[in-house]
Amino acid sequence: MLAIKAKFDGRKVILPDEMVGATPGDVVVLFGALDPDQQEGLLWMKLQEEAFAKVWNNDEDAIYDKM
């Protein structure tokens, strides 16, 4: 899972240039009325936190929990 910032022009989502040509797949779109100065950064951190939790929650990496 990857969280990126994109724009919505009222009809379609416009991806940043580095995402053009990415492998097709499912996409989750979130819309919200956030205060850009304070809450936008928190939202992106939360999205990344959830993505990292899925990656790190496995038996192979559980050995590091015991250190």
Side-chain angles (χ1 to χ4, degrees):
M1 180 179 280
L2 172 70
I4 63 167
K5 187 173 181 178
K7 298 286 184 186
F8 179 65
D9 70 1
R11 293 184 51 200
K12 61 184 178 264
V13 175
I14 301 168
L15 299 175
D17 289 340
E18 61 268 14
M19 293 303 298
V20 174
T23 304
D26 293 333
V27 177
V28 175
V29 179
L30 300 173
F31 287 94
L34 301 172
D35 177 6
D37 292 334
Q38 296 178 352
Q39 294 184 5
E40 185 174 3
L42 296 174
L43 174 63
W44 288 108
M45 284 191 290
K46 184 64 177 171
L47 290 172
Q48 291 292 356
E49 178 183 312
E50 293 170 7
F52 281 124
K54 290 177 184 177
V55 171
W56 283 101
N57 189 15
N58 62 65
D59 292 336
E60 188 174 307
D61 290 324
I63 192 167
Y64 294 106
D65 296 338
K66 299 175 184 175
M67 297 179 116

